[in-house]
Amino acid sequence: LYRPVDPTRAYVGTDTRAFELLIGAALAVLILARPVVVMRPAVSRAVSWLWPGLAAIIVIAFLQMSDQSSLYFRGGAFAFCGVVAVGLWFLETQPQSSLARALSIAPVRWLGTVSYSLYLWHWPIIVWTAGRALTWPHVVRDAVQAALALGVATVSFYGIERPVRYGRITWLRRSPARLASALGVALVA
C-alpha cells in the first residue's frame, strides 16, 4: 500500500501497522507465559552484551529513518519494532541495569502514565498549530507543539481519563440526561 507520492494510507492504516501492536503483545505474552525463557541466565548474559548495540540502532533509526522513505515501509518499521521489542526484553531481564534504573525515575514513569493521552492529543495539536506557526523555526515549533500536547494530555488524563476510569464523576451517574449531554459534547469535540 506504500505510494511514494503519498504514503499516508500505509502510514495510518491499522492493517498496515498492526504488526507493531502484535509484536508488543507477543512480547508481553512471552514474558508472562514463559518467564523461565526470559529470565534464563544465558539469555540475560547475551542481552547484556547486546543492549549497547540495540540502543545505538534505536537512536540512529530515530535520527535517520524518515517516515516518508520507502525503507520505512519496506521492512524498516518492522525491523525497528523488532529491535525495540528486544530492547524491552532486555529491560525485563535486567531490571537493575543502569538503563532500567534511568527509565524508572519519577518523571519518566509519569510520562509513561500519561503517554496514552499524549498519543491521543499529539496529532490534533500538530494539525492545529501547523498553519499558525509557519514562520517559526522548526525547533521552536516542535517545542511549542510538544509542550501544548503534554499540557493538554495532562489535563485530559487527570480531568477526564482517570475520573471516568475510576467512576469519580458522580454528577454523571446521577442523571442519564447529564450523561447523554456529556457524551454528546465529547463526540462533537
Side-chain angles (χ1 to χ4, degrees), residues 15-158:
D15 57 333
T16 60
R17 302 290 292 268
F19 68 89
E20 295 167 333
L21 295 171
L22 294 172
I23 288 173
L27 177 63
V29 168
L30 174 67
I31 289 170
L32 290 173
R34 301 273 191 247
V36 173
V37 172
V38 176
M39 298 302 183
R40 282 190 180 147
V43 171
S44 183
R45 281 192 302 276
V47 172
S48 69
W49 283 95
L50 291 173
W51 86 263
L54 293 171
I57 290 169
I58 291 169
V59 169
I60 290 168
F62 264 115
L63 296 175
Q64 297 297 317
M65 189 178 356
S66 167
D67 61 357
Q68 304 290 312
S69 74
S70 64
L71 172 63
Y72 180 83
F73 294 101
R74 295 198 169 117
F78 183 79
F80 180 75
C81 191
V83 169
V84 169
V86 173
L88 292 172
W89 185 357
F90 160 73
L91 292 172
E92 188 66 27
T93 63
Q94 303 284 327
Q96 297 305 318
S97 68
S98 57
L99 179 59
R101 286 195 312 272
L103 292 173
S104 296
I105 62 174
V108 177
R109 284 194 333 265
W110 175 81
L111 188 61
T113 301
V114 299
S115 65
Y116 185 70
S117 293
L118 186 58
Y119 162 74
L120 292 177
W121 283 106
H122 85 283
W123 187 248
I125 296 293
I126 289 170
V127 170
W128 181 70
T129 59
R132 292 164 175 79
L134 292 177
T135 60
W136 294 357
H138 289 295
V139 174
V140 174
R141 184 201 64 213
D142 293 349
V144 168
Q145 288 172 334
L148 279 171
L150 190 57
V152 172
T154 301
V155 169
S156 175
F157 178 78
Y158 289 106

